[in-house]
Amino acid sequence: MPEPVAQLARTVAANRKGHATIGALAPSPWLFPGGQPGRPISTTQLTQRLNQLGIRPNQARSTALFQLATEIPAAILACTLGIHTDVAVAWQRLSAGDWATYAAEVSRRPSNRTSRPAEATE
């Protein structure tokens, strides 16, 4: 993670406390431990906590998905995010994304392959 987010994550990790710590043999592996041993905090609970701090994660998520949908094909978006292809297609339509733009951009990227020079003819 980039700074300053990395420092915040380290601080939270050093001071994290879950509701299900009684009888736990080891500290939770989750940055935000939940109410059940070995489980993370629920999406609903985390959203409520962030909203109390004035952070609107649903808006940020929508903005990020909207931006991704403008830049990459729906099939790649669905596979990468683990969402249904129909949902990715809907996001792409809403964002007016064009997969042809993505394909053109990929084709302009420098290749890692080394091209072999054509053999000289005599």
Side-chain angles (χ1 to χ4, degrees), residues 6-48:
Q7 181 56 42
L8 290 170
R10 286 190 292 271
T11 301
V12 169
N15 299 301
R16 66 182 171 225
K17 294 178 184 130
H19 297 289
T21 57
I22 297 173
L25 299 177
S28 175
W30 296 99
L31 185 58
F32 299 104
Q36 298 176 357
R39 301 286 309 242
I41 191 171
S42 71
T43 304
T44 303
Q45 185 64 31
L46 183 59
T47 299
Q48 288 174 356

Side-chain angles (χ1 to χ4, degrees), residues 24-75:
L25 299 177
S28 175
W30 296 99
L31 185 58
F32 299 104
Q36 298 176 357
R39 301 286 309 242
I41 191 171
S42 71
T43 304
T44 303
Q45 185 64 31
L46 183 59
T47 299
Q48 288 174 356
R49 288 184 185 183
L50 291 172
N51 284 333
Q52 289 172 354
L53 296 171
I55 300 170
R56 305 290 178 244
N58 290 339
Q59 291 172 351
R61 178 183 179 274
S62 294
T63 301
L65 284 172
F66 199 77
Q67 182 62 37
L68 279 173
T70 64
E71 297 176 2
I72 61 175

